[in-house]
Amino acid sequence: MNQHAVLRVVTKLLMPAILLFALYVQFHGELGPGGGFQAGVIFGVGFVLYTLIFGVRSARQVAPPGALRTVLGGGVLIYAGVGVAGLLLGGNFLNYSVLSHDPVHGQELGIQLIELGVGTTVAAAIISLFFIFAGQDRPE
Amino acid sequence: MLAFLVVTALFVVQARNLFVSVMLMGIFSLLVAGLFVELDAVDVAFTEAAVGAGISTVLFLGTLALVAAKERPAGPWKPRMVLPFLVVGATFALLVYGSLDMPRYGDPNAPIHGHVAPRYLEQSEREIGISNVVTSVLASYRGYDTLGEVIVVLTAALGVMLLIGRGRRFPRPRPRPNETDLE
């Protein structure tokens, strides 16, 4: 798709908007609709669009597979880590109230952290799935 | 809206060109998302529009690029083709029978509205301090379930990687030409 100037320019214009919208959905999820899952999907869609226009090779340079795998597992670790942090601070597993002096504040903090974990895992999963599908050789 | 859904589903089954089927399934997902918005379930609608209409369609297209885009025509009619029809018909009849004694839609006395839902709706603002009840239920009250879901996503991605992804460190072994001679 190297010769389509319009597609390339529009993609470059849309990319920051898509990624910014993903971050908005991520960090605004406790006030409006959305949350980590949806934000991760939108973030992944940004990379899918980039891959469709600029090819898998250049997209892999932006998101190398090793880094993707790290982020993929890292999201689950963040989520479970918040749970373990609750344990260490004297609460139950995944009880966020002990994360801060004020229980309500702790709940907000915990939810934001686990949503971050959900978002990173989902985004990495979608990007790596698409890379795998787009990187396959065509059968003759 | 529901009529649109049925019509789209019929066209999906009817279409012989798989590309058309994939596009129609994207439209189907978008219609379902619209239906969810109408039912005031914006979070679910958001997910359905992004995953169902967006990502699934792209992944289907990626698969279509690898396989043929035309459905193979069905062979001549055989008596055993009746069996799937019977199974689907029986399942449909069972589901309709099961839905007969379900409470009417929107009934405030339905069992599902009397269990923990009122407590979540009344207390979550004070206990969790955030205004989206869906998020507080998903992330806090039902945190274990969501952790499980994230692990499911991780496992699914790992499964696809192991099945069709090619690791650089372990290149796929090529069958040696002299191995076939042994058989």
Side-chain angles (χ1 to χ4, degrees), chain B residues 61-97:
Chain B
L61 288 180
T63 316
L64 273 190
L66 301 175
V67 299
K70 274 275 191 193
E71 192 177 342
R72 208 178 289 160
W77 192 85
K78 295 191 198 93
R80 66 184 164 90
M81 286 182 182
V82 181
L83 189 65
F85 182 75
L86 284 181
V87 171
V88 172
T91 316
F92 177 74
L94 265 177
L95 287 175
V96 169
Y97 174 72

Side-chain angles (χ1 to χ4, degrees), chain B residues 97-160:
Chain B
Y97 174 72
S99 71
L100 283 181
D101 52 355
M102 266 172 67
R104 222 168 54 81
Y105 175 74
D107 184 3
N109 297 321
I112 193 163
H113 297 308
H115 187 44
V116 287
R119 187 179 170 282
Y120 286 165
L121 287 177
E122 283 159 16
Q123 307 281 331
S124 86
E125 180 89 48
R126 195 171 54 73
E127 285 179 349
I128 316 285
I130 63 177
S131 52
N132 187 351
V133 183
V134 177
T135 304
S136 66
V137 170
L138 274 181
S140 188
Y141 293 113
R142 288 277 167 266
Y144 276 56
D145 300 7
T146 312
L147 177 62
E149 283 164 24
V150 178
I151 293 174
V152 167
V153 171
L154 172 77
T155 319
L158 284 181
V160 174

Side-chain angles (χ1 to χ4, degrees), chain A residues 45-63:
Chain A
V45 165
F47 275 87
V48 168
L49 177 67
Y50 187 86
T51 316
L52 284 175
I53 303 297
F54 295 99
V56 187
R57 197 175 294 257
S58 53
R60 269 195 218 273
Q61 286 173 345
V62 183

Side-chain angles (χ1 to χ4, degrees), chain A residues 1 3 7 10 28 30-31 35 41 51 60 65-67 75 78 91 94 101 116 129 133-135:
Chain A
M1 287 229 186
Q3 64 276 39
L7 288 180
V10 170
H28 204 254
E30 68 266 27
L31 301 175
V41 171
T51 316
R60 269 195 218 273
I78 293 177
L94 288 178
H101 295 293
L116 189 68
L129 282 189
F133 272 94

Side-chain angles (χ1 to χ4, degrees), chain A residues 90-124:
Chain A
N92 294 327
F93 185 64
L94 288 178
N95 180 4
Y96 316 130
S97 298
V98 290
L99 291 178
S100 179
H101 295 293
D102 180 25
V104 175
H105 224 241
Q107 289 281 349
E108 264 181 72
L109 180 69
I111 286 177
Q112 292 211 334
L113 283 175
I114 65 136
E115 293 279 12
L116 189 68
V118 175
T120 48
T121 294
V122 170

Side-chain angles (χ1 to χ4, degrees), chain B residues 12-41:
Chain B
V12 170
V13 179
Q14 189 66 37
R16 284 273 167 259
N17 191 328
L18 293 179
F19 186 77
V20 176
S21 289
V22 169
M23 284 300 141
L24 283 169
M25 272 160 78
I27 295 173
F28 186 87
S29 289
L30 211 55
L31 284 171
V32 173
L35 201 65
F36 285 144
V37 172
E38 206 161 294
L39 296 172
D40 281 340

